[in-house]
Amino acid sequence: MDLSFSNQFDVQAVLEGGKCPVQFGTNVLAGLIEGIDGFRQDLEQQRRPRSLGPAMLGAFMWVDDAELLQRIAEFPSACVVVSKQPQGKYYAERLRKTAEAVKDAAGLPAWALSELEELHFHQAGKAPVLGPGSPQEHIRLPAMRALGYRKAGNHLVPILHTKMMLLGELWWHDEDGLGGVADVTGFTPHRLWLGSANGTGSSRRSLEFGLWLEDPGLLKAAQRFLVEVLAQSEDLDPDSDALTPDLVAPGYDDEAMWEAMTVLASYDADENDSEDNA
């Protein structure tokens, strides 16, 4: 028996201004894919100065649609978070297929988002302690991550239930906010997709909606939300059943830092004395 909805349900519209399409009915993921492709093509053709290319941040309950996974995997910079999946043979196979589809993806440079650039991966569940000799860590997040609590048995847990994709641009600058010389990377949001459809192949047969938006206030709010999702996320298939972010704020060895600053100040004073006596 063919259980499907006819295209009589399909309705498309464009918001005021003529730039943001809205789609109701079946196969609304096609509108998401089209928007991703169009945004990437337009941005890469512009060749903007100081641009590091397009980037995407996303959050879905689950993603297994082949086309969407391909776009995530091939995007220059991307990280999409899904709800933490239950354990079991069925879910393990789903995870394996999704992980395989994005295994060669570039991921997302965490240092492009100011809220994430100081975070480090925990060490055996504890925040690392940094000293003056600690190497600088540049974390690149994998293209797919998980968030939340793992359902066990009939016990209901809160889940990541959003369906959203934020597209933007990475850029670089050689000055920090105070005008000093620095190597700065940032992210600017440009377009937001919101919908009812999970990023799954089966959602294409259901009656859903999806729309693209470019309101500046909405873009900023979506970015704040998605950055927090990234900050609280974990590996795609983590061991913990609880909300256990693997990114943490590091601790600092204050005594070692103070000693290093004292030595540096003493060195600068000696250099100044030498120049004065020359």
Side-chain angles (χ1 to χ4, degrees):
M1 181 183 299
D2 180 22
L3 301 179
S4 61
F5 291 109
S6 71
N7 58 11
Q8 290 176 296
F9 291 97
D10 296 351
V11 177
Q12 294 186 353
V14 177
L15 297 182
E16 185 177 355
K19 294 176 62 178
C20 299
V22 183
Q23 186 177 356
F24 300 92
T26 59
N27 197 24
V28 301
L29 285 190
L32 172 58
I33 299 299
E34 182 179 351
I36 291 173
D37 292 345
F39 174 80
R40 179 176 179 179
Q41 183 178 13
D42 290 345
L43 190 61
E44 292 178 342
Q45 287 179 346
Q46 293 177 30
R47 298 185 178 182
R48 296 147 63 100
R50 297 185 183 272
S51 175
L52 296 176
M56 69 164 60
L57 314 179
F60 289 83
M61 182 177 175
W62 180 241
V63 176
D64 66 12
D65 181 77
E67 278 194 290
L68 182 53
L69 286 172
Q70 182 184 14
R71 296 313 189 275
I72 295 171
E74 295 178 351
F75 222 68
S77 296
C79 186
V80 176
V81 182
V82 296
S83 191
K84 188 179 293 184
Q85 299 298 294
Q87 291 182 327
K89 184 177 180 180
Y90 168 72
Y91 293 100
E93 180 62 14
R94 290 210 316 174
L95 282 164
R96 185 195 66 77
K97 290 181 178 179
T98 293
E100 178 66 21
V102 299
K103 64 181 178 64
D104 296 324
L108 180 77
W111 62 91
L113 301 164
S114 59
E115 301 90 338
L116 304 183
E117 66 176 329
E118 298 299 326
L119 299 182
H120 287 61
F121 285 117
H122 64 64
Q123 299 174 357
K126 297 181 180 179
V129 178
L130 306 182
S134 299
Q136 188 174 10
E137 186 173 3
H138 290 287
I139 293 176
R140 183 173 286 274
L141 297 174
M144 297 285 294
R145 304 265 289 167
L147 173 77
Y149 303 87
R150 180 175 283 118
K151 181 179 179 182
N154 295 323
H155 182 65
L156 296 179
V157 296
I159 60 174
L160 177 66
H161 203 249
T162 55
K163 295 92 176 177
M164 57 193 300
M165 187 75 81
L166 182 65
L167 302 181
E169 180 180 16
L170 295 184
W171 48 264
W172 68 274
H173 206 284
D174 53 9
E175 292 184 1
D176 60 23
L178 300 177
V181 177
D183 187 10
V184 180
T185 304
F187 170 80
T188 299
H190 289 298
R191 300 189 76 197
L192 173 68
W193 184 87
L194 297 175
S196 64
N198 283 318
T200 60
S202 61
S203 74
R204 291 179 181 262
R205 300 190 298 112
S206 299
L207 296 181
E208 309 277 6
F209 81 91
L211 70 161
W212 286 100
L213 299 164
E214 295 182 351
D215 177 79
L218 183 59
L219 293 178
K220 291 180 180 179
Q223 179 177 338
R224 289 197 300 270
F225 170 76
L226 286 169
V227 168
E228 187 61 29
V229 169
L230 292 178
Q232 298 283 338
S233 67
E234 306 170 58
D235 285 338
L236 187 57
D237 187 21
D239 294 331
S240 174
D241 292 340
L243 177 64
T244 313
D246 55 15
L247 290 171
V248 295
Y252 294 93
D253 188 335
D254 293 333
E255 183 176 350
M257 291 287 193
W258 178 256
E259 290 178 357
M261 291 175 62
T262 301
V263 171
L264 182 60
S266 176
Y267 175 80
D268 289 341
D270 291 342
E271 286 290 307
N272 290 334
D273 288 342
S274 297
E275 291 177 0
D276 291 339
N277 295 327

